[in-house]
Amino acid sequence: MILITGGLGFIGLHTARRFLDVGENVVLTQYRVRREPDFIKEQIGKRAFIEKLDVTSAYDVLDLVRKHKVTGIVHLAVPGLGALSAAEDYRVNMTGFLNVLEAARLSDVKRVSLASSVTVYAGLAKGPFQEDAFLPVESGNPTEAFKKALEILGMHYASRTGLEVVALRIGSPFGPLYHSLAAPTSRICHAAARGVPVDFTGARRGVPYEEDETGAFYVKDCALAIQLLQMADKLPHRIYNISGDRPVKYREFAEIVKKLSPNTQIGLQPGRSPRSKPNPYMDVTRIKEEVGYRPEYDLERGVAEYIDWLRKNPE
């Protein structure tokens, strides 16, 4: 039985489906929002169980782990970006992770996989980004700060207790159920599905440049990577990059969308952004060599499936 905190989120639901496909049962936690997409709905109450949980309640986390006889935990729960005050953000991130670790230790759970982020590499001048890179203490946003801190504290807790903690540095997945539209790739796919021009208003960095690169990869490959790492018998390392196997230029992404939906108006900026870094993508050699990760979706297949899903399931 695999517990996925934040299991009703974008990555959580696809990860749950992956675990179900390889024969595992799953417990998915929700805090407020409940989603039951068609690809998992038939298993709810049978092999997939949904539980309300506030991860800052130590008793409730431990009770849930013991109730379902959890054998592994994938910790994806995270407060919404900018949703909480600085103090509350700190409390939820730190206390929630500690409660998960303690519940795992007290219940003899084999492994806790912590969702980290490509954002930890934001302070580096160039890529490719590898797991053994030295990262600066300074952090430019909450995600970067908390993920660095949780990695360090998780490894320290593991060294003190013997619990196995693995950090998953997740890149930029796109696909069904991604609702924030922070990533330009998803904005482009949404526009193609609806037959309207792409609107980059409010995007973090504005209109993307054609020659800038993204680590975009399909969410089902992200789920595959998480499942392989969580279920591996042994892991030689404690930090793994999760991404596609190559960087993608926004121009290339746009060309694929135009091939699938010729009338889509995208309007990228020409050239390369003045802020772009050389080779700004994650190296996935480690996860390939150590657990046999191979993305199952090339870019065109992933984009095609996503656009088709959006047309059938408007978000």
Side-chain angles (χ1 to χ4, degrees), residues 67-297:
K67 172 185 175 182
H68 289 278
K69 297 180 173 60
V70 168
T71 56
I73 300 176
V74 179
H75 184 47
L76 301 178
V78 64
L81 191 62
L84 303 176
S85 68
E88 275 297 285
D89 211 10
Y90 190 102
R91 184 183 72 86
V92 173
N93 275 284
M94 296 299 175
T95 306
F97 186 39
L98 174 60
N99 291 340
V100 168
L101 294 174
E102 272 288 89
R105 180 185 67 83
L106 293 170
S107 306
D108 295 321
V109 170
K110 176 185 177 182
R111 179 178 296 149
V112 174
S113 294
L114 164 70
S116 186
S117 170
V118 62
T119 312
V120 301
Y121 296 116
L124 301 185
K126 62 180 181 179
F129 305 127
Q130 297 176 314
E131 292 93 339
D132 57 1
F134 290 102
L135 306 178
V137 173
E138 295 82 3
S139 299
N141 62 70
T143 300
E144 183 183 359
F146 283 118
K147 295 307 184 184
K148 288 178 185 176
L150 293 176
E151 284 189 11
I152 293 169
L153 295 172
M155 303 305 163
H156 174 67
Y157 185 96
S159 70
R160 292 280 301 273
T161 64
L163 175 68
E164 187 175 353
V165 178
V166 180
L168 317 178
R169 290 179 176 169
I170 298 172
S172 304
F174 67 90
L177 302 175
Y178 181 86
H179 61 83
S180 74
L181 296 186
T185 50
S186 285
R187 288 180 182 243
I188 292 170
C189 290
H190 271 254
R194 300 198 310 269
V196 299
V198 183
D199 182 4
F200 292 110
T201 303
R204 289 180 196 165
R205 297 192 177 183
V207 180
Y209 286 76
E210 290 180 335
E211 299 304 315
D212 281 3
E213 293 174 327
T214 172
F217 70 120
Y218 199 49
V219 66
K220 290 184 179 180
D221 284 328
C222 181
L224 165 65
I226 293 172
Q227 175 259 314
L228 289 171
L229 289 167
Q230 177 63 37
M231 294 183 65
D233 289 336
K234 293 183 180 180
L235 292 174
H237 292 92
R238 291 295 170 262
I239 300 174
Y240 290 87
N241 287 340
I242 294 179
S243 188
D245 54 7
R246 67 180 183 86
V248 177
K249 292 185 177 181
Y250 282 105
R251 171 179 48 79
E252 180 185 0
F253 193 92
E255 287 171 352
I256 288 174
V257 171
K258 294 278 285 184
K259 178 181 176 182
L260 297 167
S261 180
N263 294 326
T264 305
Q265 300 175 41
I266 299 175
L268 301 177
Q269 297 190 68
R272 184 178 292 273
S273 167
R275 297 179 296 178
S276 66
K277 299 178 181 180
N279 303 312
Y281 65 93
M282 291 196 292
D283 184 334
V284 291
T285 300
R286 177 178 290 181
I287 190 174
K288 284 185 169 184
E289 292 181 347
E290 295 183 6
V291 297
Y293 169 66
R294 295 292 183 276
E296 296 177 348
Y297 283 75

